[in-house]
Amino acid sequence: MRCLQTVGSQLRCRDARSRLSRVRLRSWCVLLLLTFYSASAAAAAAASIRFFRLLRTTNCVVTGFLVSLLHFWPVIFHPAMRRGVSWKVRHKDEGRRQWEGAVSRWTAKMGCVTRTYLPCVVLLLCALSLLSYMREEKHIHLAQLNVSTLRSSFPLVGWRSSSAVRTVHWPPPPERSNGYLVVRCNGGLNQQRSAICNAVLAARIMNATLVVPELDTNSFWHDRSGFSGIYDVDHFITSLANDVKIVKRLPYFLVNRRRKRRLKPIQMIPPRNALPDWYISVALKKMREHRAVYLSPFAHRLAEDLDNPEYQRLRCRVNFHALRFREDVMNLSSSIVSRLRSGGHFLSIHLRFEMDMLAFAGCVDIFTPEEQKILLKYRKENFAEKTLISSERRMIGKCPLTPEEVGLILRSLGFDKSTRLYLAAGEIFGGERVLQPLRSLFPRLENHTSMATSTELQKFSSEGRGLIGPAVDYMVCLLSDVFIPTYDGPSNFANNLMGHRLYYGFRKTIRPDRKALAPLFLAREAGVLEKEAFEMKVREAMGGSWLSGLQRRVPPESFYTNPWPECFCKPHARMQAHQCPNREHMLAQDDGDDNSSDIAA
């Protein structure tokens, strides 16, 4: 019996030693694995995280070993190991019990560490490594930024612009409509442009015949030429024939056998951002009573966010295809673009630095006392009374970028004096004094006045055609390699252009983050930041300022700024709503519909 007990004890001890060997092997394997993960993560983070930036390659390995040692301390250096590991204990039974207990505790702790600590540590280190890699890639991308990287458009990733109808429930307009719709589009060129899109959609909703929209005789631009003085009327009517019936003017009707009189519409003021229900229930009722309705004013009088994607695609057909400028405007724009192209690639800048915008934004502290008085007086006479602190407005990014700030941004991004800039702007408040810093940074600064001939300049100064200049600026900016808006808040010009450039070829746009850049400009003015540190900070702040291809609209972003996904399609897309129509009309590539095709050639 004693012999059998001895044999059993030896077998248990041998089994215990085998289990200990397996535990030790597993421990050191996991230790090496964790050391490898720790060293890899630390090495990846060493280039971008300040704490790890001080570490060298050897220190990364030591750091990983220390992290592993911290987690495996109870297993490798457990007190029971020092008490029960030796086989030279006098009382073998007692040593055997201590040994087996130690192995059991090691096994339990090993399982706990393996199941709990190790996955968490490895996951954390992998996440740290991925984050540092992304940060490193961002710095590499910004460091290599130059004009050549901006020439190409963003990858389409299978998407293409398409505003063609994708449903069978879109019949052509009937021969007999419910009446006539007349609208008066107020504001500047691009506010009128969005109002025209809304007018066409409103006519479709009410099954009405649209009269060619009236354009406001704008007191700022002094343009009295009307719709036909800017746009191609015949093209506008024919390109929308399958959507809305359009006539050039209201018809006459017979009062008696000898007398005719033009139809007189009843005037209505639609609510701001009205839903389609208002046009169906209120406006349509008046139209049936009086045969014609006159809506004035008509800026922002139809909601932008509509659930019906076909309504949004109709807006795109109007904005990007039907609204084509007159031939003389297109030819003038084509000549200016050709001259700019002869000197290589060029960037266009929309410098929103006119008196009305500066007074509206309340940004006056950067001007002289006399100029501040002019801005404050203009604000008091033209805008609602509201207390605005100029320095605070600048800190939260509510002020347009100054010409000097635009030049500093471009220099920080890697553009040098040889870069050609096209400036789209009205009358710059402060004149040449304000423009001089930008001109000193980029001597090749042009605008439509400097690029036009003396004969062409007469068209810009023609009496009653003040919108010719903004129309030419719009087309030149549309065709530029890169477009940079300096203020995309209430600026219809910049917002419409960003959407138009996205629709035609995914052309690149740089949107400076004014809120992130404001502290940097103030620190530079105070002498806190040196040139190299300032430029690096600007590149970091501009890292998220790219309009990088297709992105979902985020309120309050306008549909005209980002018409995706309604006005885009993807062949063989998984979602049926994103699939291209079976009978694709190729509107984006049709020379007869593309505003930019004549210039692009």
Side-chain angles (χ1 to χ4, degrees):
M1 181 64 69
R2 180 176 295 180
C3 180
L4 292 175
Q5 291 179 351
T6 304
V7 172
S9 177
Q10 291 178 354
L11 291 175
R12 284 193 296 270
C13 291
R14 187 179 302 171
D15 182 62
R17 282 188 293 177
S18 177
R19 291 170 60 188
L20 177 63
S21 299
R22 290 197 300 269
V23 170
R24 281 182 169 176
L25 179 62
R26 190 187 308 170
S27 300
W28 286 110
C29 287
V30 174
L31 177 63
L32 292 176
L33 179 63
L34 187 56
T35 303
F36 172 75
Y37 272 114
S38 303
S40 301
S48 56
I49 300 178
R50 293 183 179 180
F51 175 76
F52 288 107
R53 195 174 293 171
L54 302 175
L55 302 176
R56 303 300 179 189
T57 304
T58 55
N59 291 339
C60 293
V61 179
V62 174
T63 302
F65 178 80
L66 292 177
V67 172
S68 304
L69 198 62
L70 178 64
H71 285 276
F72 286 95
W73 183 281
V75 177
I76 302 173
F77 299 98
H78 196 277
M81 178 179 288
R82 296 194 297 271
R83 293 196 303 269
V85 295
S86 177
W87 288 95
K88 297 180 180 179
V89 181
R90 294 180 180 178
H91 304 286
K92 293 186 178 180
D93 291 340
E94 182 181 353
R96 175 181 54 79
R97 286 194 298 270
Q98 291 182 7
W99 187 269
E100 291 179 348
V103 171
S104 299
R105 287 191 293 270
W106 299 336
T107 305
K109 286 187 174 293
M110 182 63 200
C112 179
V113 171
T114 305
R115 291 193 301 269
T116 306
Y117 292 99
L118 179 61
C120 295
V121 172
V122 172
L123 182 61
L124 178 62
L125 293 176
C126 290
L128 182 64
S129 177
L130 179 61
L131 178 62
S132 63
Y133 174 77
M134 294 172 62
R135 289 168 59 90
E136 185 178 3
E137 285 295 310
K138 170 184 169 182
H139 286 290
I140 292 174
H141 171 72
L142 292 175
Q144 295 177 347
L145 181 63
N146 51 54
V147 177
S148 61
T149 62
L150 299 173
R151 293 174 182 174
S152 60
S153 301
F154 284 106
L156 305 183
V157 293
W159 290 91
R160 53 171 297 180
S161 57
S162 173
S163 58
V165 178
R166 304 178 197 176
T167 177
V168 295
H169 305 291
W170 192 267
E175 290 293 329
R176 184 177 180 86
S177 66
N178 292 323
Y180 293 90
L181 175 63
V182 186
V183 299
R184 186 176 183 84
C185 304
N186 56 303
L189 175 69
N190 291 278
Q191 183 170 305
Q192 293 174 355
R193 191 181 184 97
S194 60
I196 295 170
C197 298
N198 290 339
V200 173
L201 179 54
R204 174 74 191 194
I205 292 172
M206 294 190 292
N207 186 23
T209 299
L210 178 66
V211 180
V212 171
E214 299 178 4
L215 301 186
D216 185 23
T217 305
N218 192 281
S219 57
F220 183 82
W221 295 110
H222 304 290
D223 194 299
R224 298 187 299 272
S225 59
F227 191 97
S228 60
I230 300 295
Y231 298 107
D232 187 338
V233 179
D234 294 332
H235 175 78
F236 177 74
I237 295 175
T238 56
S239 62
L240 296 172
N242 293 326
D243 299 301
V244 176
K245 188 176 181 181
I246 304 176
V247 295
K248 294 183 178 180
R249 59 186 64 86
L250 284 170
Y252 288 92
F253 69 96
L254 290 175
V255 178
N256 51 47
R257 293 183 178 180
R258 298 181 180 180
R259 185 181 174 190
K260 292 191 303 183
R261 190 173 65 185
R262 192 180 295 277
L263 187 64
K264 185 176 182 180
I266 180 173
Q267 184 171 355
M268 300 179 66
I269 301 177
R272 190 176 180 86
N273 296 322
L275 295 175
D277 292 342
W278 183 87
Y279 290 90
I280 296 174
S281 59
V282 180
L284 183 57
K285 182 179 179 181
K286 291 292 184 180
M287 179 179 292
R288 285 171 174 167
E289 292 177 1
H290 301 273
R291 298 178 60 187
V293 170
Y294 180 43
L295 302 181
S296 177
F298 200 72
H300 308 290
R301 301 296 165 168
L302 183 58
E304 284 192 11
D305 293 327
L306 301 176
D307 295 332
N308 190 339
E310 291 298 342
Y311 286 169
Q312 304 292 57
R313 281 190 277 272
L314 176 56
R315 279 172 162 162
C316 289
R317 289 197 291 277
V318 179
N319 195 19
F320 304 137
H321 301 287
L323 285 176
R324 187 172 67 185
F325 292 117
R326 281 169 50 104
E327 185 177 0
D328 57 344
V329 177
M330 297 292 284
N331 291 338
L332 182 55
S333 304
S334 178
S335 301
I336 292 178
V337 170
S338 298
R339 292 165 195 155
L340 290 169
R341 291 276 186 218
S342 63
H345 297 271
F346 70 97
L347 284 69
S348 62
I349 302 173
H350 181 227
L351 190 60
R352 199 70 170 92
F353 214 70
E354 299 90 353
M355 180 171 63
D356 60 335
M357 179 52 64
L358 293 168
F360 172 80
C363 305
V364 300
D365 61 343
I366 59 176
F367 296 99
T368 63
E370 292 76 13
E371 292 171 338
Q372 291 183 17
K373 291 179 181 179
I374 296 174
L375 289 174
L376 293 174
K377 180 181 178 182
Y378 185 91
R379 177 175 178 80
K380 184 177 180 180
E381 294 175 350
N382 294 275
F383 301 108
E385 186 175 354
K386 186 178 180 181
T387 303
L388 298 176
I389 302 176
S390 181
S391 58
E392 294 181 358
R393 299 283 292 175
R394 187 182 182 189
M395 282 297 296
I396 61 177
K398 296 297 184 180
C399 290
L401 293 175
T402 67
E404 182 181 13
E405 291 171 348
V406 175
L408 292 173
I409 291 173
L410 294 178
R411 276 300 184 90
S412 300
L413 294 179
F415 297 99
D416 55 20
K417 284 190 174 183
S418 64
T419 304
R420 196 165 206 174
L421 304 182
Y422 180 84
L423 195 63
E427 184 177 356
I428 302 299
F429 186 75
E432 188 61 29
R433 177 185 65 82
V434 176
L435 277 178
Q436 184 56 39
L438 177 61
R439 197 179 298 277
S440 62
L441 292 172
F442 295 94
R444 303 180 67 186
L445 182 65
E446 311 287 354
N447 58 18
H448 63 250
T449 303
S450 63
M451 295 302 297
T453 63
S454 57
T455 304
E456 293 169 341
L457 284 175
Q458 295 178 1
K459 297 181 180 179
F460 291 106
S461 58
S462 298
E463 180 67 24
R465 296 198 67 185
L467 288 176
I468 292 292
V472 171
D473 285 344
Y474 186 93
M475 291 306 302
V476 175
C477 291
L478 177 63
L479 272 294
S480 64
D481 298 288
V482 181
F483 174 61
I484 308 172
T486 60
Y487 193 69
D488 54 348
S491 174
N492 294 291
F493 184 97
N495 290 333
N496 284 2
L497 254 176
M498 285 188 284
H500 207 154
R501 288 173 62 86
L502 183 67
Y503 188 82
Y504 281 123
F506 298 78
R507 298 184 177 115
K508 289 185 178 178
T509 299
I510 302 177
R511 303 173 69 173
D513 188 344
R514 298 188 303 277
K515 187 175 182 180
L517 291 169
L520 304 181
F521 291 126
L522 294 176
R524 177 185 174 274
E525 293 171 3
V528 177
L529 283 178
E530 299 295 334
K531 180 180 178 181
E532 293 183 359
F534 171 77
E535 292 181 351
M536 177 57 70
K537 292 287 186 182
V538 169
R539 286 195 292 271
E540 291 178 357
M542 292 289 290
S545 301
W546 300 90
L547 183 60
S548 52
L550 300 177
Q551 302 173 354
R552 282 202 173 273
R553 285 192 304 277
V554 178
E557 189 177 26
S558 170
F559 170 78
Y560 296 101
T561 303
N562 184 8
W564 188 83
E566 293 90 345
C567 297
F568 294 83
C569 71
K570 190 174 184 179
H572 312 295
R574 293 183 178 180
M575 295 182 61
Q576 186 176 1
H578 295 161
Q579 293 179 1
C580 293
N582 294 330
R583 189 170 175 268
E584 178 60 58
H585 299 299
M586 304 293 288
L587 292 176
Q589 300 178 5
D590 188 351
D591 291 341
D593 291 347
D594 189 350
N595 271 357
S596 62
S597 60
D598 297 336
I599 300 180

